[in-house]
């Protein structure tokens, strides 16, 4: 044990207040004159901002026009619309929903040809399903299944192979499905593409 005298701080350090920002440490953010000034300016800016809650005053001419248009029948509104487009030279453009714009190039082909020759939709995504296995090639098949199913170990691959039929991979392209099928059939399994 050290003597008590050696544990005591020198008198120069014993009198010093605790270490704070005044003694050289970094100041906390958001303090000081700049913050107080920005808060004051923000308060002034908000106080002078106009609010849009006041009702707008319309001229009597505009009010009379609104009353007249509101009193028209549907056919009269359609005539008014056509006359305004003609007078103001506004092109006649149909209203198109946002989703329909994406399908516009596909609709450019004539519809008569589509009706004459209905095209079969070719399947683009397949599910690879392992249905049977040869008992002699079980170990090879387990290793191949482990290679094609992401994130499983050999024990999980063994359980998957032993509990047939099982889906090995879903929503794969035709090329990848064919690749998986040939590899699994070479390893001793029977594969079906769905």
């Amino acid at each position: 044990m050290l003597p008590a005298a050696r544990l005591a701080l020198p008198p120069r350090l014993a009198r010093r207040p605790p270490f704070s920002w005044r003694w050289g440490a970094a100041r906390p953010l958001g303090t000081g004159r700049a913050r107080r000034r920005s808060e004051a300016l923000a308060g002034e800016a908000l106080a002078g901002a106009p609010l849009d809650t006041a009702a707008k005053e319309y001229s009597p001419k505009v009010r009379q026009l609104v009353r007249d248009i509101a009193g028209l029948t549907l056919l009269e509104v359609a005539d008014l619309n056509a006359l305004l487009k003609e007078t103001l030279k506004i092109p006649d453009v149909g209203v198109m929903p946002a989703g329909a714009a994406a399908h516009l190039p596909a609709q450019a082909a004539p519809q008569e040809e589509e009706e004459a020759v209905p095209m079969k939709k070719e399947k683009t995504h397949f599910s690879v399903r392992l249905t049977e296995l040869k008992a002699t090639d079980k170990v090879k098949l387990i290793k191949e299944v482990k290679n094609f199913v992401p994130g499983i170990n050999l024990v999980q691959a063994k359980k998957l192979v032993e509990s047939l039929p099982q889906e090995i991979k879903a929503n794969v392209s035709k090329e990848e499905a064919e690749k998986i099928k040939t590899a699994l059939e070479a390893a001793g399994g029977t594969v079906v593409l769905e």
Side-chain angles (χ1 to χ4, degrees):
M1 299 278 308
L2 294 173
R6 293 195 75 186
L7 288 176
L9 293 172
R12 180 175 56 98
L13 293 177
R15 284 181 280 141
R16 181 178 285 177
F19 194 69
S20 69
W21 63 271
R22 290 185 190 117
W23 291 95
R27 277 185 163 191
L29 294 176
T31 59
R33 189 178 316 155
R35 178 175 170 215
R36 289 188 296 273
R37 173 115 175 103
S38 66
E39 287 175 353
L41 290 175
E44 291 172 7
L46 288 177
L51 298 176
D52 291 335
T53 56
K56 185 175 178 181
E57 292 295 321
Y58 297 102
S59 69
K61 184 178 178 181
V62 172
R63 289 182 183 272
Q64 182 60 40
L65 224 123
V66 168
R67 273 187 243 117
D68 291 343
I69 292 174
L72 295 177
T73 66
L74 193 56
L75 291 174
E76 292 170 335
V77 170
D79 290 341
L80 174 66
N81 185 19
L83 183 61
L84 281 173
K85 283 182 182 179
E86 182 182 316
T87 306
L88 300 175
K89 296 184 175 100
I90 299 172
D92 193 21
V93 179
V95 178
M96 185 183 306
H103 301 294
L104 189 60
Q107 293 175 353
Q111 292 182 353
E112 295 134 9
E113 292 178 16
E114 289 180 18
E115 293 174 7
V117 182
M119 293 177 32
K120 288 186 178 180
K121 289 187 178 180
E122 188 174 325
K123 194 171 183 182
T124 57
H125 295 292
F126 293 89
S127 295
V128 180
R129 193 172 202 61
L130 183 63
T131 56
E132 296 177 21
L133 73 122
K134 294 178 187 171
T136 56
D137 297 329
K138 184 176 180 181
V139 174
K140 286 189 223 174
L141 190 62
I142 291 171
K143 288 181 182 178
E144 284 297 321
V145 167
K146 181 188 176 292
N147 290 337
F148 287 113
V149 179
I152 67 168
N153 58 27
L154 280 172
V155 175
Q156 293 167 332
K158 180 181 179 230
K159 288 180 181 177
L160 191 116
V161 167
E162 289 175 346
S163 62
L164 295 180
Q166 285 290 333
E167 188 174 273
I168 302 301
K169 225 169 187 184
N171 285 336
V172 293
S173 65
K174 186 175 184 175
E175 296 83 27
E176 188 177 352
E178 290 293 332
K179 179 180 146 189
I180 295 170
K181 180 180 179 180
T182 55
L184 291 177
E185 286 178 346
T190 306
V191 179
V192 174
L193 298 179
E194 297 175 340

